[in-house]
Amino acid sequence: MTDPAGTRRQFCFVRFCAVLCIPLLLLVFPGESQAQFKAEVPQARVEYWQARLASMEAQLADKQGLSSYRLVFLGDSITDFFLMGENLWFPGVTNGRAVWDATFAGQDPALKAINLGISGDRLEHMLYRIQPKAQGGLGQLDHKGLKPDYVVILAGINNSWASETPADASIVAGVKALVASVHARQPKARIILQSLLPTQEVARTRDIVIPVNRELKAFAEQDKQKAYLTFVDLYPHFLNPEGSQNSTLFYDGLHPSEAGYRVWRDILVGAIAADRAREAMR
């Protein structure tokens, strides 16, 4: 039969020795007291798009700052990465941050913009983000202080992966729904609808991008939309002389390089200036 009191004394002695040895072990192995790798430290998983959305929502919550935005950019990673300097996934690649800061950060108040692009977003995700909160969405265009002159849309290419059939018809329908929803949320803003950019995949560009761009141009030219919608065809400006994607303006066959963002910026700024001039003459 065991002696409980003796057992407790033995346990206490062992625990005392263990505690006494800890400082000695730290002297022998000083580096063991601190984590050496991120893998050793508990951390909640936060995807890039979640962090981006949280940052965006905080920006939209700034009631005083919202009234200064004359442009709202709405889109996916191509729009999102206008705010990225050094690329997070491609070492040595620079995206559009310097171009954005030089043009849309407020130096020219008429071009000051808020960027509502999120990497990975498909058309349905953008529709959800601008859907009124009363209908289950995020209501991103419903903030009272947000009264832009223009909402700039570049969207739909992500729907060409894991696509519905036919992909081009699905994308056109989604873009039309997005335009209608933007117009309903911001009826006084003009909408700049931009074409899809060429991809390095010949088949995807031929079978999806070109047909989508053709349909969006025709849609924008209809009388019902012309009152508030302007189509800007980016596509030809991103081609080489042979008619395929100009690889110098992209870094992965899909996303623009910094040079690509400069081209986009120049076309867009010119289109907005021309649209403002036309509106002033009416």
Coordinates of all heavy atoms in Angstrom, one line a residue, residues 195-230:
S195 N -13.0 47.8 -70.6 CA -12.8 46.5 -71.2 C -11.9 45.6 -70.4 O -11.1 46.1 -69.6 CB -12.3 46.6 -72.6 OG -10.9 47.1 -72.6
L196 N -12.1 44.3 -70.6 CA -11.1 43.4 -70.0 C -9.8 43.5 -70.7 O -9.7 43.9 -71.9 CB -11.6 41.9 -70.2 CG -13.0 41.6 -69.5 CD1 -13.3 40.1 -69.7 CD2 -13.0 41.9 -68.1
L197 N -8.7 43.2 -70.0 CA -7.4 43.2 -70.6 C -7.1 41.9 -71.3 O -7.6 40.9 -70.9 CB -6.3 43.5 -69.5 CG -6.5 44.8 -68.7 CD1 -5.4 44.9 -67.6 CD2 -6.5 46.0 -69.6
P198 N -6.2 41.9 -72.3 CA -5.8 40.6 -72.9 C -5.0 39.8 -71.9 O -4.3 40.3 -71.1 CB -4.9 41.1 -74.1 CG -4.4 42.4 -73.7 CD -5.5 43.1 -72.9
T199 N -5.1 38.5 -72.0 CA -4.3 37.6 -71.2 C -3.3 36.9 -72.1 O -3.3 37.0 -73.3 CB -5.2 36.5 -70.5 OG1 -5.6 35.5 -71.5 CG2 -6.5 37.1 -69.9
Q200 N -2.3 36.2 -71.4 CA -1.3 35.5 -72.2 C -1.8 34.3 -72.8 O -1.2 33.7 -73.7 CB -0.1 35.2 -71.4 CG -0.3 34.2 -70.3 CD 1.0 33.9 -69.5 OE1 2.0 34.4 -69.8 NE2 0.9 33.0 -68.6
E201 N -3.0 33.8 -72.4 CA -3.6 32.6 -72.9 C -4.4 32.9 -74.2 O -5.5 33.6 -74.1 CB -4.5 31.9 -71.9 CG -3.8 31.5 -70.6 CD -4.8 31.0 -69.6 OE1 -5.4 29.9 -69.9 OE2 -4.9 31.6 -68.5
V202 N -4.0 32.5 -75.3 CA -4.6 32.8 -76.6 C -6.1 32.4 -76.6 O -6.9 33.2 -77.1 CB -3.8 32.2 -77.8 CG1 -4.5 32.4 -79.1 CG2 -2.4 32.7 -77.8
A203 N -6.4 31.2 -76.2 CA -7.7 30.7 -76.2 C -8.6 31.5 -75.3 O -9.8 31.8 -75.7 CB -7.8 29.2 -75.9
R204 N -8.2 31.8 -74.1 CA -9.0 32.6 -73.2 C -9.3 34.0 -73.8 O -10.4 34.5 -73.7 CB -8.3 32.7 -71.8 CG -9.2 33.3 -70.7 CD -8.5 33.5 -69.4 NE -7.9 32.2 -69.0 CZ -8.6 31.3 -68.3 NH1 -9.8 31.5 -67.9 NH2 -8.0 30.1 -67.9
T205 N -8.3 34.6 -74.3 CA -8.5 35.9 -74.9 C -9.4 35.9 -76.1 O -10.3 36.7 -76.2 CB -7.1 36.5 -75.3 OG1 -6.3 36.6 -74.1 CG2 -7.3 37.9 -76.0
R206 N -9.2 34.9 -77.0 CA -10.0 34.8 -78.2 C -11.5 34.4 -77.9 O -12.4 35.0 -78.4 CB -9.4 33.7 -79.1 CG -10.2 33.5 -80.4 CD -9.7 32.2 -81.1 NE -10.0 31.0 -80.2 CZ -9.1 30.0 -80.0 NH1 -7.9 30.1 -80.5 NH2 -9.5 29.0 -79.2
D207 N -11.7 33.5 -77.0 CA -13.0 32.9 -76.8 C -13.8 33.6 -75.7 O -15.1 33.5 -75.7 CB -12.9 31.4 -76.4 CG -12.3 30.6 -77.5 OD1 -12.3 31.0 -78.6 OD2 -11.7 29.5 -77.1
I208 N -13.1 34.4 -74.8 CA -13.9 35.0 -73.7 C -13.6 36.5 -73.7 O -14.6 37.3 -73.8 CB -13.5 34.4 -72.4 CG1 -13.8 32.9 -72.3 CG2 -14.2 35.2 -71.2 CD1 -13.4 32.2 -71.1
V209 N -12.4 37.0 -73.7 CA -12.1 38.4 -73.5 C -12.6 39.2 -74.7 O -13.4 40.2 -74.5 CB -10.6 38.6 -73.3 CG1 -10.3 40.1 -73.3 CG2 -10.1 38.0 -72.0
I210 N -12.3 38.8 -75.9 CA -12.8 39.6 -77.0 C -14.3 39.6 -77.2 O -14.9 40.7 -77.4 CB -12.1 39.1 -78.3 CG1 -10.6 39.4 -78.3 CG2 -12.7 39.7 -79.6 CD1 -9.8 38.8 -79.4
P211 N -15.0 38.5 -77.1 CA -16.4 38.6 -77.2 C -17.1 39.4 -76.0 O -18.0 40.1 -76.3 CB -16.9 37.1 -77.1 CG -15.7 36.3 -77.5 CD -14.5 37.1 -77.1
V212 N -16.5 39.3 -74.8 CA -17.1 40.1 -73.7 C -16.9 41.6 -74.0 O -17.8 42.4 -73.8 CB -16.4 39.7 -72.4 CG1 -16.7 40.7 -71.3 CG2 -16.8 38.3 -71.9
N213 N -15.7 41.9 -74.4 CA -15.5 43.4 -74.7 C -16.4 43.9 -75.8 O -16.9 45.0 -75.7 CB -14.0 43.6 -75.1 CG -13.1 43.4 -73.9 OD1 -13.5 43.4 -72.8 ND2 -11.8 43.3 -74.3
R214 N -16.6 43.1 -76.8 CA -17.5 43.5 -77.9 C -18.9 43.7 -77.4 O -19.6 44.7 -77.7 CB -17.5 42.4 -79.0 CG -18.4 42.8 -80.2 CD -18.2 41.8 -81.3 NE -18.5 40.4 -80.9 CZ -17.6 39.4 -80.9 NH1 -16.4 39.7 -81.2 NH2 -18.0 38.2 -80.5
E215 N -19.4 42.8 -76.5 CA -20.8 43.0 -76.0 C -20.9 44.2 -75.0 O -21.9 44.9 -75.0 CB -21.2 41.7 -75.3 CG -21.4 40.5 -76.2 CD -22.6 40.8 -77.1 OE1 -23.6 41.3 -76.7 OE2 -22.4 40.4 -78.3
L216 N -19.8 44.4 -74.2 CA -19.9 45.5 -73.2 C -19.9 46.8 -74.0 O -20.5 47.8 -73.5 CB -18.7 45.4 -72.3 CG -18.7 44.2 -71.3 CD1 -17.5 44.3 -70.4 CD2 -20.0 44.1 -70.5
K217 N -19.1 46.9 -75.0 CA -19.1 48.2 -75.8 C -20.5 48.4 -76.4 O -21.0 49.6 -76.3 CB -18.1 48.1 -77.0 CG -17.9 49.3 -77.8 CD -16.8 49.1 -78.8 CE -16.5 50.4 -79.6 NZ -17.7 50.8 -80.4
A218 N -21.1 47.4 -77.0 CA -22.5 47.6 -77.5 C -23.5 48.0 -76.4 O -24.3 48.8 -76.6 CB -22.9 46.3 -78.2
F219 N -23.3 47.4 -75.3 CA -24.2 47.7 -74.1 C -24.1 49.1 -73.7 O -25.1 49.8 -73.5 CB -23.8 46.8 -73.0 CG -24.4 47.1 -71.6 CD1 -25.8 47.1 -71.4 CD2 -23.6 47.6 -70.6 CE1 -26.3 47.4 -70.2 CE2 -24.1 47.9 -69.4 CZ -25.5 47.9 -69.2
A220 N -22.8 49.6 -73.6 CA -22.6 51.0 -73.2 C -23.1 52.0 -74.2 O -23.4 53.2 -73.8 CB -21.1 51.2 -73.0
E221 N -23.2 51.6 -75.4 CA -23.7 52.6 -76.5 C -25.2 52.6 -76.6 O -25.7 53.5 -77.4 CB -23.0 52.2 -77.8 CG -21.5 52.4 -77.8 CD -20.8 51.9 -79.1 OE1 -21.5 51.2 -79.9 OE2 -19.6 52.3 -79.3
Q222 N -25.9 51.8 -75.9 CA -27.3 51.9 -76.0 C -27.8 53.2 -75.3 O -27.3 53.6 -74.3 CB -28.0 50.7 -75.3 CG -27.7 49.4 -76.0 CD -28.2 48.1 -75.2 OE1 -28.8 48.3 -74.1 NE2 -27.9 47.0 -75.7
D223 N -28.9 53.7 -75.8 CA -29.4 55.0 -75.3 C -29.7 55.0 -73.8 O -29.4 56.0 -73.1 CB -30.6 55.4 -76.1 CG -30.3 55.8 -77.6 OD1 -29.1 56.1 -77.8 OD2 -31.2 55.8 -78.4
K224 N -30.2 53.9 -73.4 CA -30.6 53.9 -71.9 C -29.4 54.0 -71.0 O -29.5 54.6 -70.0 CB -31.3 52.5 -71.7 CG -31.8 52.4 -70.2 CD -32.5 51.0 -70.0 CE -33.0 50.9 -68.6 NZ -33.7 49.6 -68.4
Q225 N -28.2 53.5 -71.4 CA -27.0 53.5 -70.6 C -26.2 54.8 -70.9 O -25.4 55.2 -70.0 CB -26.1 52.3 -70.8 CG -26.6 51.1 -70.1 CD -27.8 50.4 -70.7 OE1 -28.8 50.3 -70.1 NE2 -27.7 50.1 -72.0
K226 N -26.3 55.3 -72.1 CA -25.4 56.4 -72.5 C -25.5 57.6 -71.6 O -24.6 58.4 -71.5 CB -25.7 56.8 -74.0 CG -25.1 55.8 -75.0 CD -25.6 56.1 -76.4 CE -25.0 57.4 -76.9 NZ -25.3 57.7 -78.3
A227 N -26.6 57.8 -71.0 CA -26.8 59.0 -70.1 C -25.9 59.0 -68.9 O -25.6 60.1 -68.4 CB -28.3 59.0 -69.7
Y228 N -25.4 57.8 -68.5 CA -24.6 57.8 -67.3 C -23.4 56.9 -67.5 O -22.5 56.8 -66.5 CB -25.4 57.3 -66.1 CG -25.9 55.9 -66.2 CD1 -25.2 54.8 -65.8 CD2 -27.2 55.6 -66.7 CE1 -25.7 53.5 -65.9 CE2 -27.7 54.3 -66.9 CZ -26.9 53.3 -66.5 OH -27.4 52.0 -66.6
L229 N -23.2 56.2 -68.6 CA -22.2 55.2 -68.8 C -21.3 55.5 -69.9 O -21.7 55.8 -71.0 CB -22.8 53.8 -69.0 CG -22.0 52.6 -69.2 CD1 -21.2 52.3 -67.9 CD2 -22.8 51.4 -69.5
T230 N -19.9 55.4 -69.7 CA -18.9 55.6 -70.8 C -18.1 54.3 -70.8 O -17.6 53.9 -69.8 CB -18.1 56.8 -70.5 OG1 -18.9 58.0 -70.5 CG2 -16.9 56.9 -71.5

